[in-house]
Amino acid sequence: MKKRVVFNQKGGVGKSTITVNLAAAAAQAGRRVLVLDLDPQGNATRYLLGDAASTVEPHLGGFFDQMLNYSLYAKPTAEFIHATPFDNLFVLPSHPSIAEQQTKLEARYKIYKLRETLAELEDRFDEVWIDTPPALNFFTLSALIAANGCLIPFDCDAFSRQALLGLIERVDEIRADHNAALKVEGIIVNQFQPRANLPQRMVTELQEQGLPVLPQFLSSSVRIRESHERAVPVVFMEGKHKLAAEFSALYAVLPA
Ligand SMILES: Nc1ncnc2c1ncn2[C@@H]1O[C@H](COP(=O)(O)OP(=O)(O)OP(=O)(O)O)[C@@H](O)[C@H]1O
Ligand SMILES: [Mg+2]
């Protein structure tokens, strides 16, 4: 089972958008796909479920509750997984309450639990896509320990380039200390503006530094906002749109 985490400590670089749309591209390609939303903001959950995201139960908060309060009557993990309106695409929804659970989970050494949980789902899904909050905290660390692939969105901004190098070092450290299976599969260039000089130069510099920039870039498009508002991933929106084709092409160049 492919287990990918989309990670960048920087906020607003496109993690949730990319997680949901690549997961959707995978589902469209006939793979059985689970999106695991580890961000208390729940943006990926809302993107997939729309208004139903506010009431969906049980959610990740309940799942972590069970982890913290042992009970013989614990629900199996499968019960926390919900269908989405899209074929082959499932979600383990987030909830704002997980923000407060973090300290307890950390204090009780639950950092390897997510890895065990995903191992239980090995036969149910072909791919798991994990969306993470913009921080290097318990949730992101758990995800990096559980995953075998890491994708890093990059938004072509000078500040973010500096942070990128530090971030890749942290992922290397996590691989060395906790998870030999973890591989940085690539940097995803998002909101790329082909006509501007600076983004092109920055991407070339990353490539010259030997960083694994994926060959398919994602353009900036107002269609993304519409897609979020309608809670329909761009690959499932009607009409052939450039960005939908870009997500499918990006999915196709990912390592198997
Ligand atoms: N290719 C794109 N074109 C246009 N807008 C985009 C694109 N990618 C992302 N956005 C917009 O940028 C904003 C941030 O995207 P998103 O929520 O996916 O980032 P994030 O990294 O998950 O943020 P956070 O760190 O808060 O979780 C959103 O408003 C989204 O609509
Ligand atoms: Mg997000």
Side-chain angles (χ1 to χ4, degrees):
M1 185 167 71
K2 195 81 218 183
K3 291 165 277 191
R4 289 195 174 96
V5 52
V6 179
F7 169 58
N8 191 330
Q9 280 156 273
K10 188 169 181 237
V13 293
K15 291 179 288 296
S16 304
T17 303
I18 288 168
T19 306
V20 168
N21 280 288
L22 289 180
Q28 200 175 44
R31 314 266 289 161
R32 273 182 75 81
V33 184
L34 172 66
V35 171
L36 167 56
D37 186 358
L38 278 186
D39 185 350
Q41 295 180 97
N43 294 338
T45 303
R46 177 152 295 272
Y47 197 0
L48 285 165
L49 299 179
D51 289 341
S54 339
T55 50
V56 67
E57 286 235 34
H59 48 64
L60 195 59
F63 177 80
F64 285 141
D65 254 343
Q66 282 194 172
M67 223 181 246
L68 291 166
N69 303 294
Y70 178 81
S71 155
L72 273 179
Y73 306 103
K75 287 190 182 73
T77 304
E79 285 191 27
F80 293 89
I81 293 171
H82 301 264
T84 70
F86 315 103
D87 283 349
N88 296 328
L89 192 51
F90 297 79
V91 64
L92 205 165
S94 186
H95 190 265
S97 62
I98 70 166
E100 288 112 63
Q101 292 171 316
Q102 197 185 166
T103 330
K104 275 192 205 157
L105 288 163
E106 209 162 3
R108 306 263 300 276
Y109 306 103
K110 303 294 184 187
I111 199 90
Y112 292 98
K113 281 285 180 189
L114 191 65
R115 168 146 86 189
E116 287 170 26
T117 302
L118 294 191
E120 276 173 45
L121 300 173
E122 198 74 36
D123 298 331
R124 276 203 60 195
F125 294 100
D126 299 313
E127 297 188 14
V128 178
W129 285 82
I130 311 174
D131 189 22
T132 56
L136 186 53
N137 59 15
F138 171 85
F139 298 123
T140 33
L141 209 50
S142 293
L144 287 162
I145 288 173
N148 46 31
C150 174
L151 292 169
I152 303 171
F154 174 69
D155 66 356
C156 303
D157 135 32
F159 173 73
S160 133
R161 194 174 75 96
Q162 274 307 315
L164 199 60
L165 299 170
L167 191 151
I168 288 176
E169 276 171 16
R170 289 310 306 272
V171 175
D172 281 340
E173 189 184 336
I174 292 160
R175 180 195 305 111
D177 291 349
H178 304 279
N179 182 9
L182 181 64
K183 190 168 179 284
V184 176
E185 293 187 323
I187 293 164
I188 297 176
V189 176
N190 188 27
Q191 305 227 40
F192 187 69
Q193 292 166 321
R195 278 177 292 277
N197 274 329
L198 185 64
Q200 185 59 65
R201 206 165 65 231
M202 291 185 66
V203 170
T204 308
E205 279 174 25
L206 295 181
Q207 287 164 331
E208 283 169 0
Q209 283 174 321
L211 295 176
V213 180
L214 289 164
Q216 175 65 57
F217 302 171
L218 299 170
S219 329
S220 182
S221 164
V222 289
R223 189 88 171 177
I224 286 284
R225 186 178 298 168
E226 187 192 338
S227 159
H228 278 276
E229 270 166 21
R230 289 180 47 198
V232 180
V234 282
V235 297
F236 292 132
M237 281 168 83
E238 67 288 342
K240 288 217 176 352
H241 189 268
K242 188 170 161 225
L243 203 55
E246 287 172 358
F247 275 116
S248 300
L250 176 58
Y251 177 69
V253 300
L254 296 179

